[in-house]
Each structure stands twice: as structure tokens, then as C-alpha cells.
């Protein structure tokens, strides 16, 4: 980890979280398709304290102030076959309650709110058309919901760094379009998407370091290709690109780029399978991360190349052995930026950047029963 502005002592965070839940679902199959209905219930408790690890002193006993999150959801999904078109659709309703059990000693600077009750609906409609045996066109529209986390609403870091209990859930309306073509030259899939984000949860530096809701949008394309060159030998490749932009701005942030948007990436792989053996070589490349939110503390990241090797042997139906080398040439690279004021990574003008591990060799034995 590199970056200025970290505290002069080592911090230790002790977090305790319990999660329990239950779900019930039923699927009915008919000649026209199938229908699934279900009900789920989840409950999570989350509490965290911060320590000066050098002196073993408790410095914040309400870092995550005993947050309870209780959620009920009901859903239904349907799949319908109508000739060359397959339809899939689903709806979901969530009823969520979130509350901190301790006093919000820092968040009271912006609000006296605590308990939040969110009722949200989501759904999707996806259609696939098969004009020939070797092609498919697909389109999907959907609405999804992302609830604020316990940290985003209730973190109590300091008088200048705290959560925002008044955060609304993020609503994502998305459109996907794509096609798959299959022929003697291989199988090719191309997909594009556009995502409109209402009340997107974003970090803001004023009047304190906290989270706020803004509107934004993300769009991008993805393509994948694979072909069996000779019996057992397959070549595959992929490319992904996306861009994120703000529709309105957090306080004291005029940068239009959305943070945490990865640069373009490519993948080229070669795999050979023969009975129980499989070996694979993979080259990954990422472009330079330059479309960044500098006013949120992000920095340019250099492009990088990584080569990975894997080999596997399936001894039997229940046992397999795997050997691999990741980052074969021991490259130094970072795949992701970090916010200027991540929860545990510091608060300097130059944020810490966590680099990926160097060369790693691993061996694993997998048993399935």
C-alpha cells in the first residue's frame, strides 16, 4: 500500500457481524414454460470498534454503531417459450428496515435521523430471438435496487467522517442489447448496455466526508469470441469498455467522471483439453485508467499486462488436482483506484493504492460429493 496521510500509528478494526436468513421457493413447469415464486427473509447485525494497535487502546467504540438490518422480500419469475422467441420476466418487492443501536455521535451534525424503512420494487423483461440455428438476438430492460450499506448510513469515524442516515436506495434502470453468432469461424457475442442511476450513492467531501445521493449514468460494450482450432484446442478472446458520468455533482466536486469505473480490458486465452487433463495460458491487458474522478481523490493508473498459467487433472468423479501460476512475470500493477477517504485507507489528498500480488504459485485439491 502506498500513499500519504495515513495515521502515524497502526489501526486495528474489530468487526463482529452475524447473518441469518431463510428462503422458500417453488417452481411449476408447464408446456408453455415455467413459473417460480418465492419469499426470503434476512437479518444482519454489524458492530465494529477501532483501536490504536501500537498502544492497544480503544479509540472509537462506535465505528459501526451496532447496526441491525432486517429485510423481507417476495418475488416471482416466469419463462415463456413462443416459437423462436424466449421470454423471461421477473418482479420483486423488498421491505427493509435498518437502524443503529448506538448514538450517532457524529452524524447528528447533518441529521437527527436513525431508523430507515425502505420499500422498493424491481423487475426485468428479457427476450431472446433465434432467427436461425446459429444466431441469437437479445434485448433486456430492467429496474434494480441497491440499498445503502450499514457503513454508508451509520459509520461514525470522526467529527469530519461519518455516514448519512438519510441516504436513499440507488435505483438502476438498464437497457441491454446484443447478439450471438455461431459458425465455422467460432462463436461471437457482442453486448452493449446503458444504465441510468437515480440516487446513486457517492462520497462527498463537504461539509464533512460522508455519502450523498446523486444522479449518474454508465454505458459500455463487451465482446467475447472462442473457436476450437483443432480437436481439444480452443482459442478465446474478450474485450470490455465502459464509461461513467455524473448527471449532477456532489458539493465541491465539478469532475464529470464517475469514480470506480475500470478502464478498457482485453483477454486472450489458449486452452487444451485431453480426457482428464486441461492446461490453459491466459494474457490479460488493461488500458491506462485516465477517465477518473480526481476531485474524489482518484489518480491515473498505468496500463498493465499479466500472464497466468493453469493445469488441472480430474482423477475421478469426486477428485481433481489443480496447479497454477498467476502473474507469471511478476509484474507490479494496480487494477483499481481508491476513494480519497475510504473507510479504512486514510484521508490524504493522495489516496493509498493497493497493488496486486506478485508472482503466485498455487496447488489445490478439490473433492466433490
Amino acid at each position: 500500500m502506498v500513499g500519504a496521510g495515513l495515521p502515524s500509528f497502526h489501526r486495528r478494526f474489530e468487526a463482529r457481524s452475524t447473518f441469518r436468513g431463510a428462503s422458500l421457493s417453488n417452481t411449476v413447469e408447464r408446456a408453455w414454460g415455467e413459473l417460480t415464486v418465492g419469499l426470503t427473509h434476512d437479518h444482519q447485525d454489524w458492530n465494529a470498534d477501532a483501536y490504536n494497535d501500537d498502544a492497544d487502546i480503544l479509540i472509537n467504540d462506535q465505528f459501526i454503531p451496532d447496526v441491525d438490518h432486517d429485510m423481507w422480500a417476495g418475488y416471482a419469475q416466469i419463462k415463456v417459450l413462443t416459437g423462436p422467441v424466449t421470454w423471461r420476466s421477473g418482479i420483486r418487492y423488498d421491505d427493509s428496515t435498518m437502524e443503529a443501536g448506538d448514538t450517532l455521535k457524529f452524524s447528528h451534525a447533518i441529521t437527527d435521523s436513525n431508523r430507515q424503512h425502505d420499500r422498493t420494487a424491481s423487475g426485468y423483461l428479457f427476450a431472446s430471438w433465434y432467427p436461425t440455428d446459429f444466431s441469437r438476438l437479445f434485448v433486456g430492460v430492467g429496474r434494480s435496487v441497491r440499498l445503502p450499506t450499514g457503513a454508508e448510513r451509520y459509520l461514525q469515524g470522526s467529527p469530519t467522517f461519518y455516514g448519512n442516515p438519510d441516504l436513499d436506495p440507488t435505483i438502476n434502470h438498464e437497457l441491454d442489447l446484443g447478439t450471438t453468432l455461431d459458425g465455422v469461424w467460432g462463436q461471437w457475442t457482442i453486448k452493449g448496455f446503458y444504465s441510468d442511476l437515480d440516487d446513486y450513492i457517492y462520497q462527498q467531501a463537504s461539509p464533512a466526508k460522508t455519502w450523498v445521493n446523486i444522479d449518474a449514468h454508465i454505458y459500455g460494450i463487451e465482446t467475447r469470441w472462442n473457436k476450437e482450432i483443432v480437436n481439444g484446442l480452443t482459442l478465446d478472446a474478450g474485450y470490455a469498455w465502459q464509461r461513467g458520468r455524473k448527471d449532477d455533482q456532489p458539493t465541491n466536486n465539478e469532475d464529470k467522471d464517475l469514480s470506480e469505473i475500470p478502464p478498457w480490458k482485453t483477454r486472450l486465452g489458449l486452452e487444451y483439453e485431453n480426457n482428464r487433463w486441461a492446461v490453459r495460458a491466459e494474457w490479460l491487458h488493461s488500458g491506462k485508467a485516465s477517465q477518473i474522478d480526481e476531485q474524489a481523490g482518484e489518480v491515473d493508473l498505468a496500463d498493465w499486462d499479466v500472464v497466468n498459467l493453469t493445469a488441472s487433472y480430474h482423477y475421478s468423479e469426486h477428485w481433481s488436482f489443480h496447479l497454477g501460476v498467476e502473474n507469471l512475470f511478476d509484474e507490479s500493477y494496480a487494477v483499481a483506484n481508491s476513494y480519497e477517504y475510504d473507510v479504512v485507507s486514510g484521508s490524504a489528498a493522495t489516496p493509498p493504492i493497493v497493488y496486486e500480488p506478485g508472482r503466485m504459485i498455487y496447488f489445490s485439491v478439490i473433492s466433490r460429493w
Side-chain angles (χ1 to χ4, degrees), residues 72-272:
W72 290 87
Y75 63 90
Q77 299 179 100
I78 190 170
K79 176 183 177 181
V80 179
L81 306 176
T82 57
V85 180
T86 300
W87 300 87
R88 291 181 174 87
S89 183
I91 56 173
R92 178 182 173 109
Y93 177 79
D94 289 273
D95 190 291
S96 170
T97 302
M98 187 179 294
E99 184 175 12
D102 295 332
T103 302
L104 303 180
K105 56 185 179 181
F106 301 130
S107 293
H108 69 78
I110 57 172
T111 180
D112 292 327
S113 299
N114 184 338
R115 187 176 188 270
Q116 296 296 331
H117 191 180
D118 300 299
R119 300 178 180 90
T120 57
S122 55
Y124 69 93
L125 176 64
F126 189 87
S128 296
W129 176 44
Y130 297 83
T132 71
D133 293 337
F134 310 103
S135 61
R136 176 174 73 111
L137 300 174
F138 57 88
V139 58
V141 292
R143 168 190 166 100
S144 61
V145 179
R146 205 276 274 182
L147 293 172
T149 67
E152 291 165 344
R153 270 184 170 159
Y154 298 113
L155 181 137
Q156 303 296 296
S158 73
T160 59
F161 184 21
Y162 45 76
N164 180 0
D166 287 334
L167 283 176
D168 291 322
T170 296
I171 307 298
N172 172 34
H173 296 96
E174 185 168 328
L175 170 66
D176 295 322
L177 293 168
T179 183
T180 297
L181 303 173
D182 197 351
V184 295
W185 34 264
Q187 184 181 79
W188 196 298
T189 298
I190 303 174
K191 171 187 172 182
F193 77 93
Y194 182 88
S195 177
D196 187 69
L197 301 166
D198 296 327
D199 291 324
Y200 186 61
I201 298 170
Y202 210 77
Q203 288 188 330
Q204 176 176 286
S206 175
K209 296 171 183 176
T210 187
W211 288 266
V212 296
N213 292 116
I214 66 170
D215 292 337
H217 61 275
I218 302 174
Y219 53 94
I221 59 172
E222 176 185 350
T223 181
R224 300 187 304 273
W225 171 83
N226 68 81
K227 176 177 174 53
E228 188 176 43
I229 302 173
V230 296
N231 186 33
L233 184 64
T234 302
L235 182 66
D236 61 86
Y239 171 82
W241 171 91
Q242 58 183 299
R243 181 78 73 240
R245 303 285 284 174
K246 304 188 190 78
D247 296 327
D248 51 42
Q249 307 297 132
T251 302
N252 296 330
N253 184 329
E254 298 302 321
D255 197 319
K256 297 295 291 185
D257 290 311
L258 205 62
S259 67
E260 298 185 306
I261 301 297
W264 64 272
K265 292 181 181 178
T266 59
R267 184 196 76 253
L268 182 64
L270 185 65
E271 184 168 346
Y272 178 71

